[in-house]
Amino acid sequence: MKVELESTTRFVEADGLRMRVWQGETAAGIPVVALIVRVAVERTQDTTEFERELQEHAAPRADVVAFPLRFFLD
């Protein structure tokens, strides 16, 4: 499966971790939400562009703003 994601300005906390909410969609166009704690790249890579783009954040979609609590329940 391929998913294209963009970071949002929204954060949530669960299990003691602060996570940025990312939004996107699958190749088939199905909307998805991802909770990302860390993003890493190889130290040997030139990360200039990566670090610049990592500072860009989209406004969250309506379904991301009203994040369902059920996603956090085990």
Side-chain angles (χ1 to χ4, degrees):
M1 174 191 311
K2 289 191 178 190
V3 177
E4 186 168 323
L5 296 172
E6 64 180 344
S7 66
T8 71
T9 55
R10 180 144 163 64
F11 285 89
V12 295
E13 191 166 318
D15 299 326
L17 296 172
R18 185 170 188 246
M19 300 171 260
R20 183 175 295 275
V21 179
W22 292 57
Q23 63 192 10
E25 59 183 39
T26 67
I30 300 169
V32 298
V33 175
L35 306 177
I36 308 290
V37 176
R38 291 182 182 87
V39 176
V41 295
E42 280 284 331
R43 288 181 183 250
T44 58
Q45 299 295 312
D46 177 5
T47 62
T48 307
E49 184 176 346
F50 175 82
E51 290 175 18
R52 184 176 59 251
E53 290 179 355
L54 197 57
Q55 300 305 313
E56 299 172 6
H57 309 294
R61 299 183 312 237
D63 63 327
V64 174
V65 171
F67 204 77
L69 186 59
R70 65 184 166 81
F71 287 144
F72 297 107
L73 302 177
D74 292 343

